[in-house]
Amino acid sequence: MSWHYALDSNDIKNETMKRIVIEKEPVLIVKHKDKVYALEDRCPHLKASLAKGQKEDEYVICAKHGAKINFINGEIAEKAHMFFIKMPTKKATILATKEEYHKIFVQI
Ligand code: FES
């Protein structure tokens, strides 16, 4: 694993998400309360892009089957579901981030 430049901190507004690709890996960057988080942009359920979902507080809700994923620790607050059937949903993969001189780096 090594650190990779992701984007400038001004390139993402507070309380929004952005999909980027680093070393061919899709990464979802989320800015929440002025802090930047990163996770694999693959839903732990069936690998849909989480960037198409919605940010709600410290969660991203997958647009495909509604899994509610904590982007800070990867925990699943609500499993994926279809109608009333809940489906097994693994923990999300969180990526380490750091900021230096207004530049965001992600560890991959
Ligand atoms: S692919 Fe995300 S909830 Fe199914």
Side-chain angles (χ1 to χ4, degrees):
M1 280 209 198
S2 54
W3 290 102
H4 297 271
Y5 167 75
L7 73 177
D8 285 7
S9 55
N10 290 336
D11 289 343
I12 182 166
K13 287 188 182 136
N14 208 18
E15 309 310 329
T16 65
M17 312 192 291
K18 193 171 207 167
R19 182 187 202 267
I20 59 169
V21 176
I22 303 175
E23 298 282 308
K24 297 183 184 166
E25 288 296 319
V27 175
L28 184 69
I29 305 285
V30 187
K31 198 170 197 177
H32 175 64
K33 294 185 179 173
D34 285 322
K35 193 171 174 351
V36 173
Y37 301 90
L39 61 160
E40 277 187 3
D41 189 23
R42 289 189 191 100
C43 178
H45 176 230
L46 288 178
K47 301 186 186 321
S49 169
L50 294 170
K52 293 181 178 151
Q54 222 181 329
K55 180 189 174 302
E56 207 181 272
D57 298 323
E58 68 265 39
Y59 302 98
V60 54
I61 300 171
C62 181
K64 201 96 175 173
H65 313 107
K68 187 172 181 181
I69 301 153
N70 184 310
F71 56 76
I72 299 173
N73 59 22
E75 298 287 343
I76 305 301
E78 261 178 55
K79 290 181 179 174
H81 53 272
M82 253 191 237
F83 304 106
F84 297 108
I85 303 164
K86 303 232 183 230
M87 296 178 276
T89 311
K90 287 185 269 172
K91 204 172 161 180
T93 304
I94 302 299
L95 305 169
T97 61
K98 68 176 179 180
E99 187 171 344
E100 287 175 0
Y101 304 105
H102 305 293
K103 299 201 179 303
I104 311 288
F105 295 84
V106 176
Q107 196 172 43
I108 292 182

